[in-house]
Amino acid sequence: MTQVLRLTDLIADGKLSGKRVFIRADLNVPQDDAGHITEDTRIRASLPAIEQALQAGAAVMVTSHLGRPTEGDLKPQDSLAPMATRLAELLGRDVPLIANWVENGVPIAPGQVALLENCRGNKGENKDDDALARKMAALCDIYVNDAFGAAHRAQASTHGMAKYAQLACAGPLLAAELDALGEALGNPKRPLVAIVAGSKVSTKLTILRSLADKVDQLIVGGGIANTFMVAAGLPIGKSLVEADLVNEAKAIIDAAKARGASVPIPTDVVTAKAFSASARAEIKRVEAVQPDDLILDIGPETARALAAQLEKAGTIVWNGPVGVFEFDQFGNGTKTLAEAIARSPAFSIAGGGDTLAAIAKYGIQDQVSYISTGGGAFLEFLEGKKLPAVDVLEQRAAQLA
Ligand code: ADP
Ligand code: MG
């Protein structure tokens, strides 16, 4: 289990009162062309850290990245101004936005909160520049990282600062992510079943390899399953496939088998003659797939069999829809698995942009034990990589011990 200092521990010890607290949050939310926020989950997820720090009597500064601006040259569309407005609404208090905060400092008093302009505007942020990290660390007494979505990047505000701040800890969102992911992959209740699906093996090869070493069952789906079907000697017509990765797929199947784990291959599929929203769906046995067929979903028999496994699981890790769920006629496989996850008593975690869209589409948000807010960071955690932002917090915690 990850050992990091937590904001909640510092608060319980009364360490925040009168202190300057710097929270690196992830407020990087989608906006429309006019800059209006279209979806604010990440802003809402960032509130507990801010509210807890304020309540504990701290002077609170919050920053985040937004998009990928040019360092030293922030454009109006790179501004966190809409996020300051939304934060003010949600917190029910003023949230001034402060520009040029590294040079000019942050004039706030205990009980106040300010939002610091897009941290990726600072020269040296992306390269984890030491001088910038030291300057930012000097702005505060306590550094709080609550940006799980950026935890896989070693940048000045996610990594360097944590080395130099007097105290460095994880905020409640980051801590919750680490707890949930640690529970699912650190010491999971068995059987541990992972679903790795979506469009391409190449984008998830490391995850497949890493999970093949841990899980009891590795369910492949979507375009990824097609490459595994070729590895199993099955016809896939003109479906999305990565021919150069068939041997990798074989190796993953063998690695799982050698440990007594399995990689179930679909027995039936849903096909179409074209990739389109109006394409007619046909259910067929895998052996009957024609040369001009596109496999766009797992079939009902496969979905039922996998659903039964999910209902018996102790832990479920889900990344990737098993079909082109954006088109309803190819969404039944993903829907059946989503509903099985919802019914299952297993501890379940899910993450990934399209996976979250599928969870929303089938309305099972409240029945998944934990939905990760971190796209890339979630995937890197599944790959078994150390996240730089977490690693540095562990090192700081180890120095205190
Ligand atoms: P996530 O964002 O959750 O990590 P991915 O981006 O890897 O997931 O994959 C999601 C995409 O995969 C979806 O847009 C879906 O339409 C597509 N997909 C799923 N099954 C297939 C398939 N059989 N053929 C082509 N694309 C597929
Ligand atoms: Mg995606």
Side-chain angles (χ1 to χ4, degrees), residues 67-301:
R68 295 172 191 276
T70 310
E71 289 184 1
D73 184 24
L74 279 188
K75 301 275 189 305
Q77 67 268 24
D78 303 322
S79 174
L80 291 183
M83 291 77 209
T85 306
R86 182 60 54 92
L87 269 180
E89 286 163 15
L90 293 169
L91 291 168
R93 55 159 75 223
D94 270 359
V95 180
L97 178 68
I98 300 185
N100 302 318
W101 46 277
V102 178
E103 306 84 73
N104 300 343
V106 183
I108 46 163
Q112 292 177 341
V113 57
L115 185 63
L116 315 182
E117 190 55 281
N118 195 341
C119 59
R120 283 200 187 147
N122 298 327
K123 278 198 182 145
E125 168 67 15
N126 295 313
K127 287 205 167 131
D128 199 12
D129 180 74
D130 228 39
L132 173 64
R134 283 180 194 273
K135 272 191 210 160
M136 293 197 294
L139 294 170
C140 68
D141 302 304
I142 300 170
Y143 164 82
V144 182
N145 191 336
D146 210 27
F148 181 71
H152 57 314
R153 305 192 191 282
Q155 298 180 335
S157 69
T158 61
H159 178 262
M161 251 188 110
K163 289 190 284 188
Y164 304 120
Q166 287 170 43
L167 277 173
C169 68
L173 178 61
L174 179 61
E177 292 273 358
L178 297 178
D179 287 344
L181 294 168
E183 183 171 346
L185 293 171
N187 186 19
K189 184 158 179 259
R190 305 258 169 192
L192 167 58
V193 181
I195 305 170
V196 181
S199 50
K200 288 183 165 181
V201 174
S202 49
T203 59
K204 296 186 180 172
L205 190 58
T206 322
I207 295 175
L208 288 161
R209 281 198 196 121
S210 157
L211 290 179
D213 280 344
K214 295 195 179 86
V215 302
D216 299 297
Q217 220 175 23
L218 180 58
I219 295 175
V220 289
I224 289 176
N226 299 339
T227 301
F228 280 77
M229 287 170 66
V230 174
L234 292 164
I236 58 154
K238 53 176 188 171
S239 306
L240 177 65
V241 67
E242 289 165 290
D244 53 329
L245 292 177
V246 170
N247 283 333
E248 289 286 355
K250 279 192 188 132
I252 288 164
I253 295 171
D254 291 344
K257 270 199 190 140
R259 297 177 42 247
S262 66
V263 183
I265 303 296
T267 53
D268 62 343
V269 290
V270 183
T271 65
K273 299 297 181 194
F275 186 97
S276 92
S278 60
R280 196 170 64 87
E282 258 189 282
I283 296 168
K284 54 180 76 171
R285 312 285 317 157
V286 285
E287 300 81 14
V289 170
Q290 297 303 303
D292 63 342
D293 277 339
L294 283 168
I295 301 171
L296 297 180
D297 194 9
I298 54 173
E301 177 187 274

